Amino acid sequence: QKEVEQDPGPLSVPEGAIVSLNCTYSNSAFQYFMWYRQYSRKGPELLMYTYSSGNKEDGRFTAQVDKSSKYISLFIRDSQPSDSATYLCASVIQGAQKLVFGQGTRLTINP
Amino acid sequence: SAVISQKPSRDICQRGTSLTIQCQVDSQVTMMFWYRQQPGQSLTLIATANQGSEATYESGFVIDKFPISRPNLTFSTLTVSNMSPEDSSIYLCSVKLAGHQETQYFGPGTRLLVL
């Protein structure tokens, strides 16, 4: 079993839709959670970073963590074609160096 | 965040040869790392690049295959040695910045194809 599981998709939605991207993790020691966006032929770009359970909002993006069920989500409101990318969730144990990534979900927003 | 550059951005190499990838950061960082992203796969940590000492390698990665240098705070190199087609991948460096201790910022990556 992978430590971080993520549905690889692909996921295709119409412009303006609300997108929900999800990951589950198995290691209870994970304390920090990140979402990265990776455009084709580019490096991953940090989108959101959360520590505690609950929601964190940044513009059209909301990151949600539920530590009791080991479930992390990223919501994108009013999705735009420019949001088309691969989204990677990642987790890390406090003080550790190794980010553990999910497989990534490939998202396409159709105009 | 920081501006992270990698050279080369891409390369095509013959099996049995070696390639050295450079990573340069425009600001001082606390830690530097090297990751591999194989086709259709997620990112896997190869090693932590330590300034002035030997890198710390993850399970499954060895110094003879992936020698790493970090001569100063803002520069590191990763060499992929004696390459085989299985080494075809994207190689990414990442950094931790002071005050952002749990997050990492990634460079643009080096796309390597081994024939």
Side-chain angles (χ1 to χ4, degrees):
Chain A
Q1 180 187 9
K2 294 181 181 179
E3 287 188 282
V4 178
E5 298 271 7
Q6 184 175 7
D7 185 343
L11 179 62
S12 181
V13 301
E15 183 176 356
I18 296 174
V19 177
S20 173
L21 303 168
N22 307 296
C23 292
T24 58
Y25 63 94
S26 57
N27 190 341
S28 298
F30 285 145
Q31 293 179 294
Y32 294 86
F33 306 92
M34 296 133 209
W35 284 96
Y36 287 85
R37 177 175 63 194
Q38 187 174 24
Y39 291 115
S40 180
R41 301 181 182 276
K42 300 287 186 182
E45 170 194 8
L46 181 65
L47 270 181
M48 301 284 286
Y49 159 57
T50 58
Y51 169 71
S52 58
S53 283
N55 294 349
K56 182 176 181 179
E57 190 173 317
D58 184 1
R60 296 185 294 110
F61 298 90
T62 300
Q64 185 176 81
V65 175
D66 183 347
K67 289 187 175 181
S68 64
S69 59
K70 299 187 179 67
Y71 200 82
I72 54 180
S73 300
L74 179 70
F75 299 97
I76 307 173
R77 292 184 300 279
D78 187 24
S79 56
Q80 305 294 313
S82 59
D83 295 327
S84 298
T86 296
Y87 289 81
L88 298 147
C89 61
S91 303
V92 66
I93 299 170
Q94 184 174 10
Q97 313 310 331
K98 180 180 176 180
L99 290 183
V100 180
F101 282 87
Q103 191 174 350
T105 299
R106 188 172 166 189
L107 172 67
T108 300
I109 308 297
N110 300 303
Chain B
S1 62
V3 175
I4 306 168
S5 59
Q6 284 185 233
K7 289 182 182 180
S9 59
R10 61 190 308 161
D11 208 342
I12 301 173
C13 301
Q14 298 298 317
R15 71 168 66 214
T17 63
S18 297
L19 176 72
T20 295
I21 302 168
Q22 299 179 2
C23 179
Q24 178 75 54
V25 189
D26 72 341
S27 55
Q28 293 205 350
V29 300
T30 57
M31 304 193 74
M32 296 181 77
F33 308 90
W34 287 97
Y35 285 79
R36 181 174 73 182
Q37 187 175 28
Q38 293 179 300
Q41 303 296 317
S42 191
L43 284 78
T44 301
L45 179 64
I46 297 172
T48 302
N50 299 310
Q51 185 194 1
S53 64
E54 191 172 291
T56 304
Y57 290 84
E58 295 296 307
S59 176
F61 298 97
V62 295
I63 188 171
D64 290 346
K65 177 67 176 177
F66 298 102
I68 289 170
S69 76
R70 187 181 172 193
N72 57 53
L73 285 173
T74 61
F75 183 79
S76 178
T77 66
L78 167 74
T79 299
V80 186
S81 302
N82 188 25
M83 289 183 285
S84 66
E86 292 71 35
D87 294 319
S88 297
S89 187
I90 301 171
Y91 292 87
L92 297 139
C93 71
S94 75
V95 303
K96 279 189 177 182
L97 304 177
H100 303 254
Q101 285 306 299
E102 303 302 337
T103 56
Q104 294 180 25
Y105 298 89
F106 285 83
T110 295
R111 305 177 75 90
L112 172 62
L113 176 63
V114 184
L115 301 177

